[in-house]
Amino acid sequence: PSSRRNGAFASVPEQQIQQLMKQGYTRGLSTSLAQTIKSFPLRIWVVDNSGSMQKTDGHRFVETKRTKDVKVVGCSRWNEIVDCIEYHAQMAAALEAPTTFRMLNDPACGPNSQQFGIAENSLDAHVIQEEVDRAIYIMKTAQPGGVTPLVRHIQEIAQSVRELEPQLRADGCRVAIILATDG
């Protein structure tokens, strides 16, 4: 298995595999996840933080007192997506997978809080942990509100991917674009 280190692919460290296995992944699945960086060197998440995310028809997994047991509880769509983004930010860090998160509306949680990333500019473990902490802070501090300017964001992402297209094609790579929205 390989991972991106210093702009090149290298063997996946055993600690990365073990970190994923602690989350319940098998060794084979952990290795496969780590190898996705080869095909998908960039992941872009569009995160819906519009007013409709306040609706309380979402679901969360909550650990029970029994070991390795969870239950599903109701919550707002926003709380559901906060958990989802927190999980995927940590996954991006574990895999050192460059990942961008774009909020549809400015959450007003400080400078550059509408778009933030993990492992985009550095693979230093301390920098990546700071990026994860910042992502979690933004998601837990932000409150949903406003409209759903989805088309504008998709057009902007399409343009940025078009700029990367020659290199992506030359390398046989793709970009994963994840729309985390209720609309």
Side-chain angles (χ1 to χ4, degrees):
S2 67
S3 175
R4 186 180 67 93
R5 290 189 175 279
N6 301 322
F9 291 107
S11 294
V12 176
E14 181 62 23
Q15 97 216 27
Q16 247 180 2
I17 301 295
Q18 291 298 321
Q19 188 174 6
L20 292 169
M21 290 176 68
K22 284 180 188 174
Q23 294 182 34
Y25 292 99
T26 64
R27 174 171 287 282
L29 188 53
S30 297
T31 301
S32 292
L33 281 169
Q35 290 176 330
T36 64
I37 298 168
K38 288 181 186 178
S39 298
F40 296 94
L42 176 61
R43 293 140 168 88
I44 302 171
W45 283 73
V46 178
V47 181
D48 188 346
N49 64 335
S50 68
S52 64
M53 297 302 286
Q54 296 177 43
K55 191 165 182 179
T56 56
D57 59 356
H59 299 90
R60 300 174 66 200
F61 293 103
V62 178
E63 290 184 31
T64 66
K65 292 180 183 178
R66 284 186 260 156
T67 306
K68 296 186 179 183
D69 193 20
V70 296
K71 66 179 180 177
V72 178
V73 297
C75 66
S76 70
R77 293 173 182 176
W78 179 247
N79 288 335
E80 181 178 35
I81 207 165
V82 167
D83 283 357
C84 177
I85 299 305
E86 180 176 343
Y87 178 82
H88 284 282
Q90 291 173 349
M91 177 68 76
L95 296 173
E96 297 176 343
T99 305
T100 301
F101 297 94
R102 284 176 72 118
M103 307 274 263
L104 289 181
N105 299 295
D106 185 352
C109 298
N112 302 315
S113 59
Q114 189 167 359
Q115 181 170 308
F116 49 93
I118 309 294
E120 291 179 311
N121 300 313
S122 173
L123 296 179
D124 178 88
H126 296 294
V127 172
I128 290 176
Q129 187 56 55
E130 287 173 2
E131 292 170 339
V132 169
D133 293 344
R134 182 168 184 270
I136 292 169
Y137 169 79
I138 290 169
M139 292 304 297
K140 290 190 177 204
T141 305
Q143 293 299 311
V147 297
T148 310
L150 188 56
V151 172
R152 177 176 58 86
H153 283 273
I154 291 172
Q155 289 171 337
E156 289 173 4
I157 290 167
Q159 179 57 40
S160 67
V161 171
R162 274 193 290 278
E163 292 169 10
L164 300 172
E165 184 178 8
Q167 188 63 50
L168 289 167
R169 285 192 185 279
D171 295 342
C173 294
R174 297 168 282 177
V175 174
I177 301 171
I178 300 94
L179 303 177
T181 177
D182 64 357

